[in-house]
Amino acid sequence: MSEQRVATSKVAGTWAWAFQRISAVLLIVFLGVHLYAAHFMDVGAETGEEPLITFDEVSLRLDQLLYIVVDYGMLSMVLLHGLNGFRTVLFDFDMFVRRKKLIDVTLWVVGIGTLIWGIVILFPFISGAGG
Amino acid sequence: MAEGDLTLKVQRFDPTADKLPYWQSFTVKPRPGMTVLDALFEVLNHQDGTLSFRFCCRAGVCGSCAMVIGGKVRLACETQVAQFVGKGDLMLSPLPHQPVVKDLAVDYTHFFDRLKKVKPYLVGKEPYPEKEYIQSTKERQPINDPIDCILCGSCTSSCTMAWTNSDYLGPAALLKSYRFLADTRDSVPDERLDIIEGESGVWRCHTQFNCVEVCPKKLNPTEAIQKMKIKAFKRKLFGRRGTKK
Amino acid sequence: MKISSFKWLFGRNSEFWPTNMKTGMWAWVGHRLTGLALVAYVFLHLSFISTASMAEGGADFDALMETTSQPLFVAMDFLLVIVVIYHAMNGLRVVLFDLGVGIRRQKLVFWVTMAISAVLIVGGLLAIWHLVFPEGVA
């Protein structure tokens, strides 16, 4: 234990910390818009039962560029914030600090993969009923 | 057991003989003004000569007798036993998450290794003065508190991040780093920030406040760490000149 | 030798025993657990949305949304609201500390944010109630 090993990384620490705070505040704003848009906003679709979210309703909403930006922005923020937070939890433990590079690469791959997946799964709504 | 007696439940562990620790009970008769350290001496002198614990000054200055007393890390020499009488057994165990030498004495090697990493000494400014560095009262103010640290290891032992991450410097070392960072006589703030700004430096602190709760000197390592986080972040944003005094 | 047995690390005299944990520790434990739960939820959420691309016109998606309007799921939604609000408000508290605000009064800051959380959670319950019973049943 007496070796002079101090820091695992000088680059990631500061920015990871700062970004975690910035994305946290952004997420609170995004979440408000997201919940309002998904559950309370009236987009004028025939939705049948009121509380139900339907495909047509979401499609109509996603006709507007604003909500595409909000949804994709929220998706990327959530992934960055969530996986960065998960990374923080992992690096609290010695056994994961030792595999730092592997974990960093894995989390980036998972993050970018999920981002692409998340972008793709909204396509049916965007190209859907609205037109 | 007579009325008003106190039962101490002490965690016994001899690494050469035992596989796991076990609790052993001793009954002592509290005298007025008796501290937990006094009670341990009572046991050592009259009941069990094999009990091990560390002590030195008996006045809360040396930081040797920190241990877990009734679920909280405290100094045995500064804790009165009277407050525990009539509240069940008083449990005594060594500092958590540290290697146990024997019974209540723990190995401080890792703790001091962490401390050594942050350069816990003053690096003076050239030209060196003939007598002493002059400091105004205002300049001295920020280090009034952190200079009181007695290196008892309470904070670093009770910090879960310091427990699970052996690279993490821990509150005591970071407070020491802050003490020199805030010192106007010190000449290497950039070097100090280099040491503490890594992932195992200040960013491992998740503001758990365990260190503040247990500090026997009522210091605030968390505040020092937060201030260093801001210093490190400002330097990242505005470059090295931003931290020059 | 390091003592690493469950009984000694988490026992009566450890800092993890509930009566030994102080406000900051509770806040940290809660923040960590809710954070991990929310990461898991994000992936669940995405997988639910992905049903939209399964059938033409989103029939599968509509069917799934029908299922999730059952009382059990609504109750879980409410649980989600609690978790999100706690994580957000405690996160705000951590951000305040990072800005250097209220470190010396961390307990007060915790209880203030928790009071705001409680109000928001009640608001969330009312909002869900309003969604489920738009006509005002009660």
Side-chain angles (χ1 to χ4, degrees), chain C residues 4-64:
Chain C
S4 50
S5 144
F6 192 84
K7 182 186 165 193
W8 296 101
L9 291 180
F10 299 97
R12 274 278 309 277
N13 225 15
S14 78
E15 75 257 41
F16 295 100
W17 192 259
T19 52
N20 294 345
M21 276 164 59
K22 301 290 192 293
T23 36
M25 184 76 167
W26 278 111
W28 172 78
V29 168
H31 200 72
R32 190 142 279 206
L33 293 179
T34 52
L36 291 173
L38 286 173
V39 170
Y41 171 75
V42 167
F43 287 93
L44 191 72
H45 191 57
L46 288 178
S47 70
F48 272 29
I49 295 172
S50 72
T51 56
S53 47
M54 280 174 169
E56 197 62 36
D60 285 348
F61 179 78
D62 283 350
L64 186 65

Side-chain angles (χ1 to χ4, degrees), chain A residues 1-10 12-15 17-18 87-88 91-94 97 100, chain B residues 110 113 116-117 161 164-167 169 194-195 197-200 203-204 206 229 232-233 236-237:
Chain A
M1 242 354 277
S2 49
E3 77 218 82
Q4 291 288 305
R5 189 159 60 109
V6 177
T8 38
S9 161
K10 287 194 174 167
T14 316
W15 290 120
W17 169 84
R87 178 177 176 274
T88 310
F91 287 168
D92 276 352
F93 296 90
D94 272 338
V97 175
K100 179 174 184 303
Chain B
H110 189 188
D113 277 345
K116 280 173 200 154
K117 286 177 185 170
M161 275 68 72
T164 52
N165 187 330
S166 53
D167 275 353
L169 294 166
D194 282 344
I195 295 169
E197 78 167 352
E199 290 224 49
S200 296
W203 311 119
R204 275 273 81 72
H206 306 320
K229 279 181 183 170
F233 183 57
K236 206 76 169 181
L237 276 186

Side-chain angles (χ1 to χ4, degrees), chain B residues 70-90:
Chain B
K72 192 184 169 193
V73 180
R74 312 175 221 229
L75 294 182
C77 61
E78 280 194 326
T79 310
Q80 296 285 320
V81 294
Q83 58 186 302
F84 302 109
V85 176
K87 289 179 185 166
D89 299 347
L90 177 59

Side-chain angles (χ1 to χ4, degrees), chain B residues 2-17:
Chain B
E3 184 71 26
D5 280 4
L6 182 69
T7 306
L8 302 177
K9 259 181 113 181
V10 183
Q11 176 176 330
R12 301 296 306 268
F13 182 59
D14 180 359
T16 58

